[in-house]
């Protein structure tokens, strides 16, 4: 037999000797990654980075009292609570009491309240982004996780979350619950610490539900996940039933406490009607409008959704159970949005957190990204950087569009400055900014100071009263000033609009017209003797 000399690994043609590369000759992406690793890996530095990103991304709206009509109303309600007004009794709305308590606490900070609530909301956004980055470390490296937190902050502006919409606050509680869930899932077995962790998760969900009830859907998923993981790890049926009962009680505790307090003061029916029945009784805006909103929402979510799908394939989770948990969180959030069905832009805000977590692996993958070529020169843009640039550009354009469409502080303050020194009774904002009640110091002429509750067709059966009768009652008091619009919303109730148009033409005269965003508001003053 012919002897064949043995070949070493270094002799094999498919292996090449390692060659050290000088740092100066590394690709620019590798040099940037090395330089920024300390920012992505150190929790304190990452928090500081996220804070800077949030301030830069949201500063364009700082101080604007009319960023979004919902924010205006929440701040008004929080302000009036400090003067004795009671939500659902003196000021009607369907949002949970926790949201109004947040705004009331913000008013304790002093000042006009506008910049204060926007800065507090910014801190909530930063804290949520930080938690997202910590959760994402279960799937990705430090750069991908940090990018997930940055993208979350930037994405808020696309869906109306550049100020104080409710999901900006309650996303933090849900993200904290998801973070706690990953800790439970990563533990071997399911002992008393797992049960206690489940109580923390459900209490966080309960707190989130008292900011907005849509957190229910993610809470149901987390509760079922707790039961499934406990059963898989040998917890018997009896203990499982007892644990499940305790977890459900923890999730419902904040809501039951609020309901119980209202019942104790004799206002339990008002609480139930506003918090639960009104949600079921509000009508739809029509299939065409709803589908248009859904399509726009899906289009704007597409970049993040694609990134999340790609990230799932690239992720190296710490365990398969963690992967299932985070996949399920995203599915539950999507299901909650689809089941609610109205598809206003801010309804997409709860989806951003779980999708950013799933996308983190793609954001941090060294081979993923865009390649730009010009002749023989090629530049590779990392996936995370490309996504940040894309979302920052879209968000900036949408925020600027919102400012042009909804208005800016000096426009509304001009109306307030005109009304305030002449006001002797309650101002009535029929079609305009509820911030005017706060800016003028006016009393409220109705339990329904949010203009849409009395004027929109979809609310006519949901507010617990006849809107037409309430508008007539308000106008029977002959308010000195009424604010309306030159271009009313197309979905205003025809009956209410016709009544107000005729009455304003007969008994009132235009005293001031001010452009507010894309519309002009008219301040009507009652004619002498009318």
């Amino acid at each position: 037999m012919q002897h064949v000399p043995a070949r070493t690994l270094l002799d094999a043609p498919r292996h090449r000797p390692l060659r050290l590369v000088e740092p100066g000759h590394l690709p620019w992406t590798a040099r940037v990654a090395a330089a920024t690793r300390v920012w992505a890996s150190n929790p304190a530095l990452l928090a500081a980075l996220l804070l800077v990103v949030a301030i830069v991304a949201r500063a364009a709206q700082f101080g604007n009292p009319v960023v979004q009509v919902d924010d205006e109303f929440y701040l008004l309600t929080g302000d009036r609570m400090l003067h004795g007004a009671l939500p659902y009794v003196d000021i009607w709305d369907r949002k949970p009491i926790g949201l109004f308590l947040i705004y009331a606490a913000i008013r304790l900070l002093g000042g006009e309240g506008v910049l204060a609530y926007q800065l507090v909301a910014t801190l909530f956004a930063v804290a949520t982004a930080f938690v997202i980055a910590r959760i994402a470390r279960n799937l990705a490296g430090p750069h991908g996780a940090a990018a997930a937190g940055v993208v979350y902050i930037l994405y808020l502006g696309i869906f109306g979350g550049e100020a104080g919409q409710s999901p900006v606050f309650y996303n933090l509680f849900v993200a904290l619950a998801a973070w706690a869930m990953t800790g439970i899932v990563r533990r071997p077995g399911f002992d008393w610490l797992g049960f206690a962790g489940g109580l923390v998760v459900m209490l966080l969900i309960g707190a989130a539900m008292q900011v907005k009830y849509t957190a229910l859907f993610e809470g149901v998923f987390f509760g079922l996940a707790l039961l499934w993981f406990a059963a898989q790890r040998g917890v018997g049926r009896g203990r499982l039933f007892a644990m499940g009962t305790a977890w459900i009680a923890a999730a419902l505790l904040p809501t039951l406490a609020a309901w119980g307090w209202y019942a104790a003061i004799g206002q339990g029916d008002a609480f139930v009607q506003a918090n639960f029945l009104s949600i079921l009784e509000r009508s739809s805006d029509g299939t065409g409008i709803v589908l248009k909103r859904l399509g726009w929402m899906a289009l704007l979510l597409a970049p993040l959704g694609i990134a999340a799908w790609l990230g799932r394939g690239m992720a190296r989770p710490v365990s398969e159970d963690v992967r299932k948990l985070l996949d399920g969180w995203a599915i539950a959030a999507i299901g909650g949005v689809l089941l609610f069905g109205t598809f206003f832009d801010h309804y997409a805000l709860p989806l951003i957190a779980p999708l950013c977590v799933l996308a983190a692996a793609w954001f941090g993958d060294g081979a993923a990204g865009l390649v730009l070529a010009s002749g023989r020169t090629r530049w590779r843009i990392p996936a995370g950087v490309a996504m940040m640039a894309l979302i920052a550009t879209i968000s900036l354009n949408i925020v600027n569009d919102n400012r042009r469409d909804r208005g800016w502080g000096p426009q509304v303050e001009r109306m307030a400055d005109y009304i305030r020194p002449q006001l002797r009774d309650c101002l009535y904002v029929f079609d305009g900014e509820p911030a005017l009640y706060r800016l003028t110091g006016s009393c409220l002429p109705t339990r329904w100071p949010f203009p849409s509750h009395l004027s929109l067709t979809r609310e006519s059966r949901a507010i617990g009263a006849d809107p037409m009768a309430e508008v007539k009652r308000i106008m029977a008091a002959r308010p000195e000033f009424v604010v309306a619009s030159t271009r009313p919303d197309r979905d205003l109730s025809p009956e209410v609009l016709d009544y107000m148009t005729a009455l304003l033409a007969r008994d009132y005269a235009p005293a001031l017209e001010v452009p507010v965003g894309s519309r002009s508001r008219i301040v009507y003053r009652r004619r002498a003797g009318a």
Side-chain angles (χ1 to χ4, degrees):
M1 178 181 293
Q2 184 180 4
H3 177 71
V4 178
R7 300 177 66 180
T8 67
L9 287 175
L10 292 177
D11 294 329
R14 65 179 182 275
H15 292 283
R16 292 181 296 179
L18 293 175
R19 180 170 59 90
L20 295 178
V21 179
E22 292 293 331
H25 297 288
L26 288 171
W28 74 271
T29 52
R31 296 198 301 272
V32 171
T36 58
R37 185 174 183 84
V38 64
W39 286 89
S41 302
N42 184 290
L45 291 178
L46 176 59
L49 173 65
L50 294 172
L51 178 60
V52 171
V53 170
I55 291 173
V56 172
R58 300 163 70 86
Q61 294 281 33
F62 282 171
N64 185 2
V66 289
V67 175
Q68 220 281 346
V69 67
D70 290 342
D71 300 9
E72 298 176 44
F73 177 71
Y74 303 152
L75 185 62
L76 170 67
T77 304
D79 180 80
R80 296 305 166 94
M81 286 176 69
L82 298 184
H83 295 85
L86 190 60
Y88 322 125
V89 178
D90 302 307
I91 302 177
W92 188 93
D93 194 58
R94 59 175 56 87
K95 293 293 190 300
I97 190 66
L99 179 62
F100 299 126
L101 289 174
I102 289 173
Y103 273 88
I106 290 170
R107 287 301 290 123
L108 291 173
L109 298 175
E112 293 296 319
V114 175
L115 183 59
Y117 94 77
Q118 292 163 354
L119 290 175
V120 170
T122 297
L123 293 177
F124 268 77
V126 170
T128 307
F130 180 81
V131 174
I132 287 169
R134 303 307 295 173
I135 298 171
R137 290 292 279 120
N138 289 282
L139 303 176
H143 285 94
V150 171
V151 170
Y152 171 81
I153 291 170
L154 298 176
Y155 237 110
L156 292 176
I158 292 179
F159 291 110
E162 70 266 39
Q165 272 288 4
S166 56
V168 176
F169 297 103
Y170 83 75
N171 277 359
L172 175 60
F173 300 113
V174 176
L176 285 169
W179 194 13
M181 284 291 297
T182 62
I184 295 169
V185 170
R186 292 179 62 174
R187 285 177 53 83
F190 203 96
D191 54 12
W192 70 271
L193 284 176
F195 168 67
L199 288 177
V200 171
V201 169
M202 291 292 103
L203 282 170
L204 286 166
I205 290 296
M209 287 171 56
Q210 273 307 297
V211 179
K212 193 169 185 180
Y213 287 115
T214 49
L216 167 71
F217 299 99
E218 290 149 292
V220 169
F221 166 72
F222 288 146
L224 293 175
L226 283 168
L227 292 171
W228 189 84
F229 287 123
Q232 289 293 306
R233 296 171 186 188
V235 176
R237 291 184 179 179
R239 286 180 58 211
L240 204 62
F241 178 81
M243 286 180 174
T245 302
W247 289 333
I248 292 172
L252 295 179
L253 180 62
T255 300
L256 292 176
W259 187 356
W261 187 85
Y262 272 87
I265 63 170
Q267 297 294 342
D269 290 344
F271 181 89
V272 171
Q273 191 282 324
N275 282 260
F276 308 127
L277 299 182
S278 71
I279 298 172
L280 302 175
E281 292 169 345
R282 184 172 64 176
S283 61
S284 171
D285 287 314
T287 303
I289 294 175
V290 168
L291 290 178
K292 182 178 178 181
R293 289 181 192 148
L294 177 60
W296 186 241
M297 181 186 293
L299 178 65
L300 293 174
L301 276 172
L304 184 58
I306 293 170
W309 183 259
L310 294 173
R312 289 184 70 257
M314 297 175 176
R316 298 293 180 265
V318 292
S319 74
E320 194 59 29
D321 284 345
V322 168
R323 181 199 292 273
K324 292 176 182 177
L325 171 71
L326 298 177
D327 285 350
W329 177 26
I331 293 169
I334 293 169
V337 172
L338 293 176
L339 286 172
F340 243 74
T342 46
F343 306 127
F344 294 111
D345 60 351
H346 57 277
Y347 280 42
L349 292 173
L351 306 183
I352 302 173
L355 291 179
C356 281
V357 169
L358 295 181
W362 184 70
F363 292 157
D365 189 275
L370 299 176
V371 176
L372 304 177
S374 176
R376 295 184 177 182
T377 306
R378 293 163 63 87
W379 297 276
R380 190 175 64 79
I381 311 298
V385 174
M387 179 64 79
M388 290 180 215
L390 173 65
I391 299 309
T393 301
I394 297 173
S395 179
L396 180 62
N397 278 282
I398 290 178
V399 169
N400 284 334
D401 286 345
N402 288 342
R403 284 185 56 172
R404 285 191 293 268
D405 184 56
R406 297 170 184 168
W408 184 246
Q411 299 170 329
V412 178
E413 287 161 2
R414 182 182 167 195
M415 284 191 289
D417 290 342
Y418 173 79
I419 295 169
R420 189 186 307 111
Q422 306 178 77
L423 191 63
R424 292 185 294 273
D425 56 4
C426 292
L427 167 70
Y428 177 39
V429 181
F430 167 65
D431 184 10
E433 288 68 32
L436 285 168
Y437 289 121
R438 183 181 54 80
L439 292 171
T440 60
S442 170
C443 54
L444 301 180
T446 175
R447 287 179 58 212
W448 294 270
F450 190 70
S452 296
H453 287 156
L454 292 178
S455 61
L456 292 186
T457 301
R458 68 170 177 264
E459 298 284 1
S460 60
R461 293 181 298 174
I463 67 170
D466 178 5
M468 187 70 253
E470 179 64 12
V471 170
K472 288 181 176 179
R473 187 198 65 78
I474 295 168
M475 298 307 294
R478 302 168 66 242
E480 181 78 12
F481 293 99
V482 177
V483 176
S485 176
T486 57
R487 183 164 56 88
D489 286 328
R490 61 184 177 183
D491 50 353
L492 256 61
S493 165
E495 181 185 15
V496 173
L497 180 59
D498 290 346
Y499 170 80
M500 286 299 299
T501 300
L503 188 63
L504 290 174
R506 188 189 71 193
D507 294 344
Y508 287 77
L512 180 68
E513 183 172 335
V514 179
V516 179
S518 61
R519 300 184 182 189
S520 287
R521 303 301 189 196
I522 301 178
V523 178
Y524 287 92
R525 188 167 192 174
R526 193 174 67 247
R527 300 179 193 272

